[in-house]
Amino acid sequence: MGDIHEVPRPRIATAHLAQHIGQPVCFVGRVEKIHPTGKLFVLSDGEGKHTTVELSEPLDEELSGVVEVVGKVTNQATIMCASYVQFREDKSPFDLELYNEALKIIHEFREYFPFG
Amino acid sequence: GGYTQSPGGFGSPAGTQAEKKQRIRSQNIVPCTVSQLLAAEQVDETFRIRDVEISQVTVMGIIRHAEKAPTNILYKVDDMTAAPMDVRQWVDTDEAGSENVVVPPGTYVKVAGHLRSFQNKKSLVAFKIMPLENMNEFTTHILEIVNAHMILRKNLMSASRVPQSFSSAGISDMGGYGGGGSLPVNGLTAHQSQVLNLIKNCPVPEGMSLQELKHQLHNMSMATIKQAVEFLSSEGHIYSTVDDDHYKSTDAE
């Protein structure tokens, strides 16, 4: 998976992409669509804003529901994916809007939730 | 269900007298980020995160790596705030079966354990590792981290400079977790935390009686107290002594 998992990866929403160009981030969103090539997919965050995630290798599985992506923000404000994991929703649906609210809190109170 | 291991939180054989004394002072389980644990400063046996004393902590993250050895399982748990942290879980070699099942990489887990430092490297010794079944717990956890550290810091600033343990009722009662204590903080509701703290601080050999708890906790009905005691007992925080009306804390000195 590489070095990106050894460094802090701030949790962000679509609105924060521009502030993290070139940096490792962690993005959680709901799968909206997958490109036919399987090399890119679109996620929506808790505010409904879309982010494009690119892969170096095409997807080898069905992707749906809520996905957490670790990757680097490109100059085009997309995310170059290093790894991803699907959140389990078999027992309860994931409240993405609440997660977005939590992001606001951890950004506002950075000193109590440090990245790095 | 979960992966409860016997060594660790309650009277661990590795615990020295000094360690047990220190545990009395920081008797709460504090939710933390890996970055906070890595930044914690150590003075003798004590760890501090920005002057707040910590010992037992919870972290939530994804397992990146799992390695099974004869006596322990070593995980690397990643919560995105730093590099993955080493989490060691001792295996009960007498028991075969589910205790020794390794949680697979790619699983989100909640870890409860003690912070350790060896040769300047931090790690956790886990007494509980549980896969998350509901990812909303993760959202709650990150909010609890901010809440807990903010309140711990406030308590520290407003209290006198003498180091003292604060009751986890402080965390539960403030920051909107009060009232019926329906939203658990650190795994315990406000009521459970209050009952546990009274039992922990009771110096009497036969422990605290239900009557004494009722006497001290005016806002709680006997039914609520009994419910809290039953929960704490089943979780292993307390045990009955002379009869079913008297309880002691498993973490007491």
Side-chain angles (χ1 to χ4, degrees):
Chain A
M1 283 293 164
D3 293 330
I4 198 173
H5 296 93
E6 299 291 315
V7 299
R9 288 138 285 160
R11 291 183 172 274
I12 61 162
T14 301
H16 310 124
L17 283 170
Q19 297 146 27
H20 289 89
I21 305 270
Q23 293 168 24
V25 295
C26 174
F27 184 94
V28 177
R30 198 171 291 280
V31 178
E32 291 297 329
K33 52 181 182 279
I34 304 177
H35 193 267
T37 60
K39 289 194 74 177
L40 72 84
F41 55 92
V42 176
L43 299 178
S44 62
D45 67 9
E47 289 179 332
K49 300 194 187 124
H50 289 192
T51 288
T52 301
V53 178
E54 299 177 62
L55 299 155
S56 46
E57 292 300 319
L59 284 169
D60 58 0
E61 60 176 344
E62 278 298 316
L63 209 60
S64 68
V66 176
V67 175
E68 181 180 74
V69 169
V70 165
K72 212 170 235 192
V73 182
T74 68
N75 290 339
Q76 294 76 39
T78 64
I79 299 180
M80 190 66 208
C81 176
S83 71
Y84 67 84
V85 70
Q86 296 188 68
F87 277 7
R88 58 183 293 186
E89 290 188 281
D90 54 328
K91 299 253 166 85
S92 312
F94 183 69
D95 190 336
L96 194 56
E97 289 70 34
L98 184 66
Y99 174 79
N100 198 73
E101 292 299 309
L103 284 193
K104 290 182 186 164
I105 300 273
I106 69 178
H107 291 165
E108 185 181 338
F109 296 101
R110 232 165 261 275
E111 67 269 34
Y112 300 117
F113 200 96
F115 278 96
Chain B
Y3 299 87
T4 9
Q5 295 297 325
S6 37
F10 309 114
S12 155
T16 61
Q17 273 307 110
E19 227 173 82
K20 281 190 180 153
K21 236 194 169 82
Q22 177 252 313
R23 260 185 239 146
I24 297 293
R25 285 211 300 273
S26 52
Q27 46 187 307
N28 300 281
I29 299 185
V30 184
C32 295
T33 64
V34 169
S35 54
Q36 284 167 334
L37 297 182
L38 294 178
E41 288 162 356
Q42 186 181 16
V43 176
D44 299 327
E45 300 295 324
T46 313
F47 289 102
R48 284 176 196 278
I49 297 177
R50 301 172 96 227
D51 296 325
V52 171
E53 209 175 298
I54 54 150
S55 172
Q56 295 183 81
V57 299
T58 58
V59 296
M60 265 194 211
I62 190 168
I63 298 206
R64 292 290 182 202
H65 185 75
E67 205 173 286
K68 189 168 174 176
T71 56
N72 69 90
I73 305 172
L74 177 63
Y75 293 103
K76 292 203 185 280
V77 177
D78 182 6
D79 73 351
M80 312 295 174
T81 63
M85 169 160 270
D86 282 357
V87 175
R88 198 172 299 271
Q89 186 180 35
W90 296 102
V91 162
D92 193 340
T93 49
D94 291 336
E95 268 181 61
S98 64
E99 311 296 338
N100 302 340
V101 172
V102 175
V103 181
T107 311
Y108 253 98
V109 293
K110 174 172 185 168
V111 177
H114 285 95
L115 185 59
R116 293 275 180 266
S117 184
F118 182 65
Q119 295 180 343
N120 244 355
K121 188 174 160 126
K122 297 253 180 42
S123 65
L124 283 182
V125 172
F127 50 81
K128 198 162 190 172
I129 298 184
M130 272 170 36
L132 288 188
E133 306 211 321
N134 182 344
M135 285 306 292
N136 293 305
E137 268 195 67
F138 182 74
T139 307
T140 311
H141 178 77
I142 67 184
L143 290 170
E144 284 180 356
I145 289 174
V146 174
N147 189 49
H149 287 261
M150 189 184 297
I151 288 179
L152 285 173
R153 188 144 182 86
K154 272 199 195 138
N155 283 352
L156 203 65
M157 297 296 112
S158 60
S160 67
R161 276 291 159 185
V162 175
Q164 56 181 282
S165 69
F166 63 98
S167 80
S168 60
I171 292 183
S172 331
D173 288 340
M174 297 161 71
Y177 284 104
S182 51
L183 193 64
V185 176
N186 305 335
L188 295 180
T189 65
H191 289 161
Q192 290 160 357
S193 290
Q194 283 171 47
V195 169
L196 181 60
N197 276 311
L198 283 174
I199 294 176
K200 267 185 180 169
N201 291 315
C202 177
V204 177
E206 67 266 20
M208 192 135 197
S209 70
L210 291 179
Q211 283 67 36
E212 186 56 35
L213 282 170
K214 178 82 184 76
H215 179 70
Q216 298 229 21
L217 297 165
H218 321 286
N219 61 322
M220 273 194 238
S221 70
M222 185 50 106
T224 310
I225 292 174
K226 280 188 176 169
Q227 255 176 33
V229 163
E230 209 173 283
F231 175 82
L232 291 169
S233 178
S234 69
E235 289 289 303
H237 295 290
I238 62 177
Y239 60 96
S240 59
T241 57
V242 293
D243 57 28
D244 280 348
D245 284 342
H246 289 81
Y247 291 85
K248 275 181 87 74
S249 163
T250 49
D251 208 19
E253 195 164 71

